[in-house]
Amino acid sequence: MGRRSPLFGYVICLALLATTVTVRAIDPAPTDAVDFILGAATKPSAPTTVPATTAPSTPFKSKADTAARRGTFTYSDGSTFTGWTTTTLEKPLRIWVEAQGEFIDVPYAHIRSATVDVVWERLDKEYQFLVSGSDIKTFTGRTYPARETIYTFTLKDGRTIKGSIVVPFDVRADNGEERLIVLHKRDKGPAGKTLNDLVYVTKMELGD
């Protein structure tokens, strides 16, 4: 038998790595509106395993799934911002559920609300590298606020999904003011600021 080239082994390794990430589209509630959105598609029988670098397939492709909805965002300082809210067109919210070891894709149209839990928050030491290309750190003596959060999403049918996410929302208030609001997994502020200065979204509520 002829000698195999190193490229053959490389291809085999890529094939094995491609089976490590699972993405699942959430099974929606059986309503007429959902059936219309799905185009009478059948429910997936099992999670689909895809390469980490490949976008998952999902039956939720209708523009109705990302249409503007009335939304209110509550911040950690007690302030709120309300307006017509949209997210990335034709893209579901992708939630990483650590307990299940998989991503779950949820259509924007099926989200009712989201609340936040703080995983950790602290003041980290600011540092610089001694010289360009070096791995030796020198600390400046200053600190910056940092935080990691996790969100619990409640769907219109009452189900909940808890996981980490990074997702942007475009929000336009009635007075014309616009904000780009991002639900972060991790966030940090500038050096010299406190944790109270690092304001974050604690709750999102969406109307029909």
Side-chain angles (χ1 to χ4, degrees):
M1 184 174 181
R3 182 181 179 183
R4 292 174 177 168
S5 69
L7 180 60
F8 178 83
Y10 179 74
V11 171
I12 293 301
C13 289
L14 287 180
L16 292 174
L17 289 173
T19 63
T20 59
V21 176
T22 300
V23 181
R24 177 162 60 89
I26 189 159
D27 181 19
T31 64
D32 292 339
V34 173
D35 288 341
F36 175 78
I37 292 172
L38 298 182
T42 57
K43 300 176 183 178
S45 59
T48 302
T49 300
V50 298
T53 56
T54 302
S57 60
T58 171
F60 306 103
K61 293 295 186 181
S62 170
K63 291 182 180 179
D65 282 341
T66 47
R69 300 171 61 191
R70 198 71 175 168
T72 296
F73 295 80
T74 302
Y75 294 89
S76 55
D77 62 0
S79 64
T80 61
F81 190 73
T82 299
W84 290 104
T85 305
T86 59
T87 188
T88 307
L89 184 64
E90 298 185 0
K91 295 293 184 181
L93 276 66
R94 177 165 297 174
I95 306 168
W96 170 250
V97 182
E98 182 70 30
Q100 297 173 210
E102 64 178 351
F103 288 99
I104 295 181
D105 283 354
V106 184
Y108 174 56
H110 293 267
I111 300 290
R112 172 62 68 198
S113 64
T115 56
V116 70
D117 289 309
V118 175
V119 178
W120 55 257
E121 56 182 1
R122 61 184 179 235
L123 294 176
D124 283 339
K125 295 180 180 179
E126 184 188 48
Y127 66 85
Q128 298 173 342
F129 289 106
L130 185 61
V131 294
S132 179
S134 170
D135 59 355
I136 301 176
K137 299 176 182 178
T138 59
F139 293 94
T140 66
R142 301 192 301 174
T143 60
Y144 62 88
R147 179 182 293 114
E148 181 174 326
T149 51
I150 191 169
Y151 292 86
T152 299
F153 292 88
T154 300
L155 308 188
K156 287 183 177 180
D157 62 9
R159 287 179 293 175
T160 60
I161 301 173
K162 186 171 185 177
S164 57
I165 194 171
V166 178
V167 60
F169 295 96
D170 292 310
V171 188
R172 182 182 178 87
D174 292 337
N175 63 5
E177 181 182 352
E178 294 185 50
R179 292 188 189 180
L180 176 62
I181 300 177
V182 181
L183 301 188
H184 292 281
K185 175 183 178 181
R186 292 185 182 178
D187 196 13
K188 70 177 184 178
K193 296 298 184 178
T194 67
L195 286 167
N196 287 336
D197 295 325
L198 187 59
V199 177
Y200 62 101
V201 174
T202 60
K203 187 175 184 179
M204 176 184 73
E205 299 171 282
L206 296 170
D208 295 329

